[in-house]
Amino acid sequence: MKKTFSHVGIPTTESKKGENYSADMKLFITDFSQSENNIEWLRFDADCEMPREIQEHTHVAYAVENLEEAIAGQKVILEPCAISDTLRIAFIVDAEGCPVEFMEFSGEAAGTAY
């Protein structure tokens, strides 16, 4: 399976410049594409329902061509879900205990993700 590094997501309790609020996910998030080092900051609401592994640990993210193939046989902690019309994501915990995000882009976005 081909995977392309996308970003590193780091949980924080501090407000960060450029963060946007996602009411659906109950978190503030920055745009990693605006970061010199592809860092995404995540600040979670107290009632956020995302898995603790994502809320408490740094994650690495990869763009993949097929989300189901990427998570097959893995310990899935966040099932595939649509973030937008052109992006679906899922999270696993790898064998070393690290949360890993897989991102599947569609349409025009897919052409630049890999």
Side-chain angles (χ1 to χ4, degrees), residues 89-111:
I89 67 167
F91 277 83
I92 66 158
V93 172
D94 73 6
E96 297 176 291
C98 181
V100 178
E101 178 182 11
F102 292 116
M103 308 167 67
E104 179 188 272
F105 294 91
S106 61
E108 288 183 27

Side-chain angles (χ1 to χ4, degrees), residues 73-89:
Q74 303 288 335
K75 179 182 177 188
V76 178
I77 58 171
L78 183 68
E79 293 290 335
C81 58
I83 299 300
S84 70
D85 291 341
T86 60
L87 174 62
R88 291 188 328 131
I89 67 167

Side-chain angles (χ1 to χ4, degrees), residues 40-97:
E40 169 187 79
W41 293 99
L42 304 125
R43 185 165 57 95
F44 300 90
D45 283 353
D47 62 344
C48 178
E49 296 177 2
M50 292 188 86
R52 301 300 311 146
E53 294 95 338
I54 299 169
Q55 293 189 45
E56 296 174 357
H57 301 282
T58 297
H59 72 267
V60 62
Y62 297 96
V64 296
E65 293 178 355
N66 184 300
L67 198 55
E68 282 70 23
E69 180 183 328
I71 65 171
Q74 303 288 335
K75 179 182 177 188
V76 178
I77 58 171
L78 183 68
E79 293 290 335
C81 58
I83 299 300
S84 70
D85 291 341
T86 60
L87 174 62
R88 291 188 328 131
I89 67 167
F91 277 83
I92 66 158
V93 172
D94 73 6
E96 297 176 291

